[in-house]
Amino acid sequence: MDILTVLPSSFGYAIFTYLYSWIMLTYLGVKVGAARKKYDVKYPTMYSDKEQVFNCIQRAHQNTLEVYVQWLVFQTIAALVYPLSASVLGAIWVTSRFSYAWGYYTGDPAKRMYGAYGYIGYFGVIFLSISVALQLLRVF
């Protein structure tokens, strides 16, 4: 069975959303690496006792990683049936992680809420995944 005949043709948009998320994660990781150098925080130390801004940069990346696997699962389930909608929602979530990080990078943790609009994308793919599950169970 050829995977190209099994997946919906617009699943390609979901693949581009995954690639966009890879760019976002790479960017956040590079920012942590640069901050380690700038603030002299050596591995394996996760947080600094002296540099609040470093901790904010680190947390922006760490928090994104904490939710990333769940997002990938829901994004994939949703995209199998609703590829275009899931891709739009996924792009909203990924873009919000940049906003979240840029707010956090100011050193004021409250400004991480600049990325709060990402919940639209995150909960959106969760709701689409629930819809897929209910359809498979023939509930509606």
Side-chain angles (χ1 to χ4, degrees):
M1 185 178 323
D2 183 6
I3 193 71
L4 296 177
T5 60
V6 174
L7 293 174
S9 61
S10 53
F11 193 82
Y13 294 116
I15 295 170
F16 281 121
T17 304
Y18 298 135
L19 292 170
Y20 181 37
S21 75
W22 172 78
I23 291 167
M24 176 268 298
L25 285 178
T26 301
Y27 172 82
L28 296 183
V30 166
K31 293 297 276 186
V32 173
R36 282 188 176 283
K37 189 177 234 180
K38 179 178 180 179
Y39 296 108
D40 195 36
V41 179
K42 306 284 188 227
Y43 286 107
T45 305
M46 288 289 286
Y47 298 102
S48 172
D49 293 332
K50 299 177 246 171
E51 300 293 346
Q52 174 71 11
V53 174
F54 171 81
N55 293 340
C56 290
I57 294 168
Q58 167 68 11
R59 276 304 300 151
H61 185 236
Q62 185 67 37
N63 180 263
T64 300
L65 291 173
E66 289 165 3
V67 72
Y68 187 69
V69 173
Q70 294 91 330
W71 173 78
L72 279 175
V73 170
F74 293 123
Q75 179 69 23
T76 301
I77 293 167
L80 288 171
V81 177
Y82 305 105
L84 188 56
S85 296
S87 297
V88 169
L89 292 166
I92 290 169
W93 183 79
V94 173
T95 302
S96 79
R97 299 315 293 185
F98 284 109
S99 301
Y100 175 87
W102 294 331
Y104 229 153
Y105 293 170
T106 66
D108 179 0
K111 290 184 179 175
R112 73 189 190 283
M113 297 311 292
Y114 292 166
Y117 66 90
Y119 285 112
I120 295 165
Y122 187 69
F123 289 127
V125 294
I126 291 172
F127 290 135
L128 289 179
S129 295
I130 291 168
S131 174
V132 171
L134 293 173
Q135 288 176 61
L136 286 169
L137 295 170
R138 296 187 176 27
V139 173
F140 69 95

